[in-house]
Amino acid sequence: MSLKNKVAIIGVGCTKFGENFDLDYKDMLVESYTEALEDAGIGPKEIDAAWLATAFPDMAHYEGNSGSSLADPLNLFGIPTTHVTNYCATGMDAIRNAAMAVASGNARFAYIGGVEKMRDVPPRDSLIAQVVKTGHPVVGKGATAPGMFAMLETRYMAVRGVDRTPFAEISVKNHYNGSLNPKAHFGRPVTIDAVLNAPMIAYPLGLYECTPVSDGSASVIITTPEIAKSLKKDSILIKALTLSIDSGWNPQFDKSNQFLGFKSTQNAAGMAYKEAGIKNPHDEIDFAEVHDCFTITEVVNYEDLQFCPRGEGWKFIHEGHSTREGELPVNVSGGLQSSGHPIGATGVRMVYELVTQLRGKAGKRQLENVRVGLAHNLGGPGSVASVAILSRAD
Amino acid sequence: MIGIEKYGVYLPVKRLKHSDIYAAIGLPGRGGGERTVASFDEDALTMGVNGLYRAKIQEESHLNGLFFASTTNPYLEKSSAALMAETLPFEPKPDFTVDFSNSLRACSNSVLLAGHTIARTGRKIAIAAADIRETNPFTADAVGIGDGAAAIVLAECDQPVAELKFETTFSFEILDTWRKSADQFLRMTEPHFRFKYGFSDVVTKTFTNFLKSAGMTPDAVHHIAINAPNAKMLLGMLKRVNLSPAPNTLRLYNEIGNTGVSFGLLNFLAELEAAKIGENILWLDYGDGANSLLFQKKAEIDVPQIEKALNEKIYLNSYDQYLRLRNRVKTEEAVFEPFTSAVMNFREKAQNYALMAQQCKTCGDVIYPHERICKKCNTKDNFGLVPIGTEGKIFTFTREYLFPSPEGVTAAASADMTSGVRLFLQITDSDYDRIAVGQTVERTFRKMHDAGGFHNYYWKFRVMG
């Protein structure tokens, strides 16, 4: 079943991403939820199904283990509520599942809350501790998120004959963009020298080429286009919302993996373009939020999403095509590089950004004349990817 | 005849200069030698396995026995040899697995008993010897001591490298070097006493008894290999019979150090490599008495191993680094204990210890890690196990600085193995800053961590020199 034109986004909300030391998991969810509810102009009793997006439930607090982690703080009881986790693509997959419920007539108003609390501990105790403490006892041990994406950059540099410069340029672009976004984790730009000379995290990725470890929550409320119209809301239509899975814990064991892109992104993008009827992504998409957990990821995303020919992702940034002023601005929010990456919230935040831009309400970072936006959420180094295409309803 | 079919030498590549040890304890300007240092991911068992692989044990199709000699077994209760047998890439595994321990002549004890077993049954037995020797920090005890392993395959065969001709054994109790069951570090008694009434006396008596029992004159012995406490003692013993050690034998003393139970075998292999065909090599192995084993060289050695192992080295930059690799630095840093499971360990032996790949019997595709359904043709449960191969080429790599490691960096690579499998492993004991796409890597057996109260063994890559 195609989702095209069957679902409208009527409410979005987002907390500031970052070191939210004064807010807990529930506090953040309440903040983004109430903002979205107010934006949608509906009451809590009208929500008849909900999805909670948290990638890594906190086993210590039992936060994010089930739909009840959403119901408790929001006082949303008695409705079907599902917890979704699908690596870093958790957020958009939750929206995708909710969209299917609305499109099928199963729910009139569906709420999606994405939330992740990662900074109650130091950054290294969050994601690095996770790969040390969990996973297979020995097979694949030593694989961390930065390390696995770094292996793409190593290969990309060897095959494409480029140095670290284009990747540093991604960081510079996104950190500048993020400096215009009051909800971004980082509020300041970085220079190319600072990026190239930053401490090494996982060669060839330096500190400013890695997303920070962040807290945050984002929320979305969806309904049918007909109901949205009757509510006279400035709604945004889902033109496509897809998901594709590739090998999960062992792409580094896959002999067909060229380490130059992600099959999951290529598949999800192919399905989304087909669903939305897009023939030429470069020309038909006005702007995009793509998953730039690491700088190399954004470069290969350009190629996987067909924004440029295969092998030319580095040129696409180097020649400035993806800057705010370029013909296809990418990550005007600051992306994960600057906005931060509270995992379950990230995909929801991308949709928040698209909706905000398409409504012309993005303040200092508002792009001119945008009608069609793309969001791309990637997880697990490349094992799961989701692509959303949204457009104005009018 | 019974003889050594093949052998392997494994010396850790890390080296610590004796001058760095002396400088750390406040005696600068001393010491021109160096020693091997087993890295943080090594123990006697892993070195023993790597010794067996250097002996190309993986090319065997069947072994009757696997003997392991060590005074530093990673388990006090649980066989090392039985675990080591699981790393062999063929079935069935050897039935007769025995650990020889406690005495510094445990290795020659195991060779001697393997010889008897083979004489009676005509069987083939692999023998590995290894020790990781711990000494009190900030003492000179670490000088002249080293870590290392060697392995041989002893069999009834027509064309051995060396034939086992004769043996004697002699037991003698003395407090020379020892560790009580709970001791971590080597203890040694007064050196002049132990040399005079221990080593010197015992080896001399053993040699005399050997000549008498064998009915040989000293000039029929062309080489003598002895696990002497130091090079000076070795030269002194050999001078009495007008022999001199092979150059590589001396290098073992000056560049490696006394490697415990494996040291006698390493001495023997250095002399064997230097010997001419037809020459006799007498291996005198000292420790709570002594064994004498007479071998005659029967065939040229295609690829000598001692020199290569001596020359493969990466220097530690300081004594501090040595302490850190050996977990001797007290820290109160939070430790992330990995998840592990003794049950998974049992279930995945072929995948994790022998590193066997699966080959689909329907389409021939080779995959790793193990699956039920073929990734290429979708056939269910129709796999055979095949060796993954010992070498590969780096497809891509990273150097990770956040993953906890005593070396600060955790390098890892995906490499294409000769079997066709793309294998992802950590990289150890390499010049991490010079890792490059396309380099050849070998795999090396390592301890990944000690979670769960047991040793979690697996494989890593090492960039080949």
Side-chain angles (χ1 to χ4, degrees):
Chain A
M1 180 185 74
S2 165
L3 289 172
K4 187 179 181 181
N5 294 335
K6 290 179 180 153
V7 182
I9 300 168
I10 56 165
V12 292
C14 188
T15 66
K16 176 165 167 53
F17 280 12
E19 295 167 342
N20 294 338
F21 296 133
D22 51 347
L23 299 172
D24 72 10
Y25 179 93
K26 295 173 178 179
D27 294 330
M28 294 191 293
L29 194 55
V30 169
E31 274 196 19
S32 71
Y33 163 74
T34 47
E35 186 185 340
L37 204 60
E38 194 175 321
D39 184 28
I42 60 169
K45 295 211 178 327
E46 292 179 85
I47 293 170
D48 45 21
W51 275 261
L52 173 66
T54 293
F56 299 115
D58 182 337
M59 291 304 288
H61 289 193
Y62 278 91
E63 283 174 337
N65 284 287
S66 88
S68 62
S69 294
L70 181 147
D72 274 319
L74 306 187
N75 206 24
L76 274 181
F77 297 104
I79 57 168
T81 301
T82 302
H83 169 226
V84 174
T85 179
N86 215 343
Y87 281 144
C88 299
T90 293
M92 275 195 6
D93 195 17
I95 300 176
R96 192 183 68 92
N97 279 276
M100 287 191 291
V102 168
S104 68
N106 189 266
R108 279 167 51 83
F109 291 98
Y111 165 70
I112 305 100
V115 58
E116 207 87 28
K117 184 67 186 165
M118 306 179 77
R119 293 292 278 107
D120 276 0
V121 292
R124 191 168 170 275
D125 290 7
S126 184
L127 284 178
I128 299 299
Q130 186 201 24
V131 297
V132 179
K133 285 155 72 173
T134 64
H136 193 281
V138 293
V139 179
K141 207 74 193 169
T144 64
M148 293 307 91
F149 285 91
M151 296 216 323
L152 269 82
E153 190 166 316
T154 301
R155 187 71 194 169
Y156 195 97
M157 292 196 297
V159 173
R160 305 294 183 214
V162 296
D163 61 13
R164 290 177 59 212
T165 307
F167 309 104
E169 288 167 344
I170 296 279
S171 174
V172 171
K173 168 181 75 77
N174 290 354
H175 281 90
Y176 171 73
N177 289 348
S179 72
L180 306 175
N181 179 1
K183 290 184 174 177
H185 184 146
F186 284 135
R188 57 191 168 81
V190 293
T191 64
I192 194 148
D193 283 347
V195 177
L196 289 172
N197 296 317
M200 199 53 76
I201 298 297
Y203 172 87
L205 291 167
L207 180 64
Y208 297 132
E209 295 175 87
C210 304
T211 177
V213 178
S214 322
D215 299 323
S217 173
S219 291
V220 165
I221 293 169
I222 58 177
T223 185
T224 65
E226 295 72 29
I227 297 171
K229 205 169 179 182
S230 72
L231 290 171
K232 298 189 177 6
K233 294 302 298 179
D234 187 8
S235 62
I236 301 300
L237 285 181
I238 291 178
K239 292 292 182 184
L241 182 39
T242 61
L243 185 104
S244 178
I245 288 280
D246 192 33
S247 177
W249 69 299
N250 53 8
Q252 58 271 34
F253 290 94
D254 175 3
K255 52 186 174 276
S256 71
N257 185 358
Q258 293 303 304
F259 286 84
L260 296 170
F262 297 111
K263 282 182 258 184
S264 54
T265 301
Q266 293 154 22
N267 291 337
M271 289 189 277
Y273 294 147
K274 192 176 171 203
E275 189 166 314
I278 286 176
K279 301 276 190 294
N280 183 338
H282 176 273
D283 293 346
E284 294 177 58
I285 289 164
D286 297 326
F287 72 110
E289 286 286 308
V290 307
H291 200 94
D292 57 328
C293 46
F294 303 95
T295 48
I296 173 67
T297 325
E298 183 164 326
V299 171
V300 299
N301 289 343
Y302 295 158
E303 302 176 19
D304 289 339
L305 294 166
Q306 303 165 40
F307 293 174
C308 67
R310 175 70 43 204
E312 294 184 8
W314 67 274
K315 273 191 209 167
F316 199 69
I317 174 65
H318 190 61
E319 294 170 357
H321 303 298
S322 55
T323 61
R324 284 183 57 80
E325 297 75 27
E327 76 263 17
L328 206 174
V330 175
N331 286 332
V332 291
S333 67
L336 281 63
Q337 291 276 317
S338 176
S339 290
H341 185 27
I343 302 174
T346 286
V348 186
R349 197 263 317 148
M350 289 172 166
V351 168
Y352 164 89
E353 180 67 20
L354 257 51
V355 169
T356 308
Q357 288 282 351
L358 290 167
R359 285 166 163 181
K361 291 182 178 170
K364 277 202 290 187
R365 68 182 190 285
Q366 181 63 49
L367 294 166
E368 287 176 21
N369 301 320
V370 285
R371 290 192 50 80
V372 179
L374 176 144
H376 160 255
N377 201 189
L378 182 78
S383 50
V384 48
S386 182
V387 171
I389 298 169
L390 308 184
S391 88
R392 292 190 55 79
D394 50 28
Chain B
M1 66 184 85
I2 295 170
I4 297 171
E5 256 193 353
K6 51 189 187 177
Y7 67 92
V9 172
Y10 176 80
L11 300 175
V13 296
K14 288 190 164 71
R15 298 287 194 278
L16 180 63
K17 289 183 174 151
H18 290 162
S19 56
D20 285 336
I21 301 172
Y22 285 120
I25 58 180
L27 297 167
R30 284 208 202 177
E34 57 199 50
R35 56 160 293 172
T36 44
V37 174
S39 195
F40 70 97
D41 53 6
E42 298 193 274
D43 62 20
L45 188 155
T46 65
M47 289 193 287
V49 170
N50 292 327
L52 290 168
Y53 269 76
R54 289 277 167 88
K56 302 212 178 298
I57 202 80
Q58 65 276 19
E59 291 172 6
E60 296 289 320
S61 55
H62 186 249
L63 274 180
N64 303 102
L66 196 161
F67 292 0
F68 182 54
S70 176
T71 66
T72 46
N73 277 292
Y75 290 104
L76 290 178
E77 179 173 341
K78 174 175 169 55
S79 166
S80 294
L83 196 158
M84 291 163 77
E86 294 295 342
T87 70
L88 305 177
F90 50 80
E91 294 284 348
K93 306 300 186 206
D95 288 324
F96 192 30
T97 55
V98 188
D99 297 282
F100 290 79
S101 195
N102 292 65
S103 171
L104 284 177
R105 71 183 156 105
C107 180
S108 54
N109 283 342
S110 71
V111 175
L112 205 142
L113 288 164
H116 291 191
T117 306
I118 293 163
R120 195 164 56 79
T121 62
R123 292 180 149 207
K124 182 183 275 200
I125 294 172
I127 299 160
D131 260 333
I132 179 165
R133 310 196 82 194
E134 303 293 2
T135 54
N136 275 300
F138 295 103
T139 67
D141 290 358
V143 173
I145 295 287
D147 310 314
I152 59 172
V153 173
L154 201 69
E156 171 70 46
C157 57
D158 296 333
Q159 188 64 287
V161 174
E163 182 189 0
L164 176 56
K165 305 277 283 186
F166 195 78
E167 100 239 344
T168 68
T169 181
F170 167 56
S171 180
F172 181 71
E173 199 279 332
I174 187 171
L175 281 163
D176 181 330
T177 65
W178 70 94
R179 277 174 293 127
K180 302 198 302 299
S181 50
D183 284 349
Q184 201 174 357
F185 303 124
L186 199 58
R187 293 179 190 271
M188 289 174 260
T189 193
E190 201 282 321
H192 292 179
F193 161 72
R194 70 189 177 96
F195 292 163
K196 188 171 178 189
Y197 290 96
F199 177 76
S200 176
D201 201 33
V202 168
V203 169
T204 304
K205 277 182 184 153
T206 303
F207 184 52
T208 309
N209 289 341
F210 162 78
L211 290 174
K212 197 175 163 193
S213 312
M216 286 171 75
T217 52
D219 58 349
V221 179
H222 307 107
H223 299 265
I224 295 182
I226 321 176
N227 56 338
N230 55 47
K232 198 177 158 192
M233 297 296 293
L234 175 75
L235 291 167
M237 295 297 293
L238 291 180
K239 201 174 172 187
R240 289 196 232 161
V241 283
N242 279 330
L243 288 176
S244 53
N248 281 341
T249 303
L250 275 182
R251 287 183 68 189
L252 290 173
Y253 288 81
N254 297 327
E255 299 175 30
I256 306 304
N258 190 312
T259 59
V261 293
S262 61
F263 198 52
L265 182 55
L266 286 167
N267 271 267
F268 168 72
L269 293 172
E271 292 298 327
L272 176 66
E273 287 187 349
K276 295 186 183 71
I277 290 181
E279 286 188 332
N280 290 323
I281 306 126
L282 180 65
W283 172 12
L284 293 171
D285 205 24
Y286 170 73
D288 309 288
N291 295 327
S292 68
L293 290 97
L294 183 73
F295 285 89
Q296 185 179 35
K297 185 159 176 175
K298 287 288 183 186
E300 287 300 339
I301 292 157
D302 297 335
V303 188
Q305 293 195 36
I306 295 277
E307 177 118 352
K308 186 167 183 285
L310 284 167
N311 292 339
E312 277 185 327
K313 49 188 170 184
I314 296 172
Y315 285 103
L316 302 185
N317 56 31
S318 65
Y319 187 74
D320 293 353
Q321 204 184 354
Y322 162 69
L323 292 180
R324 194 165 160 81
L325 289 176
R326 288 304 183 72
N327 198 22
R328 297 268 169 268
V329 183
K330 184 172 162 32
T331 167
E332 293 181 357
E333 274 183 319
V335 176
F336 302 142
E337 168 129 330
F339 160 76
T340 192
S341 157
V343 180
M344 285 175 77
N345 209 65
F346 153 78
R347 204 164 53 219
E348 298 180 357
K349 280 190 281 193
Q351 174 186 276
N352 303 348
Y353 286 160
L355 210 63
M356 300 302 280
Q358 291 171 306
Q359 182 159 37
C360 176
K361 290 177 186 167
T362 307
C363 74
D365 198 29
V366 185
I367 60 168
Y368 184 94
H370 293 185
E371 300 284 357
R372 295 285 300 275
I373 295 174
C374 177
K375 288 195 176 311
K376 194 169 174 188
C377 72
N378 271 319
T379 305
K380 176 172 167 283
D381 291 335
N382 194 29
F383 291 106
L385 293 176
V386 293
I388 210 165
T390 52
E391 290 180 20
K393 280 207 182 311
I394 293 180
F395 191 78
T396 188
F397 70 94
T398 185
R399 290 188 295 271
E400 231 288 351
Y401 294 91
L402 296 178
F403 196 85
S405 161
E407 293 194 280
V409 58
T410 301
S414 284
D416 290 330
M417 305 301 286
T418 45
S419 61
V421 164
R422 171 83 53 82
L423 182 61
F424 171 83
L425 297 175
Q426 289 184 29
I427 301 175
T428 190
D429 276 345
S430 302
D431 185 347
Y432 303 117
D433 289 333
R434 292 195 183 167
I435 299 169
V437 169
Q439 279 176 333
T440 303
V441 285
E442 64 174 353
R443 57 192 176 91
T444 174
F445 197 61
R446 298 288 163 143
K447 187 167 71 175
M448 300 296 281
H449 52 80
D450 274 346
F454 55 89
H455 302 299
N456 291 257
Y457 294 110
Y458 190 53
W459 295 85
K460 292 185 182 179
F461 285 132
R462 195 180 77 83
V463 177
M464 290 176 77

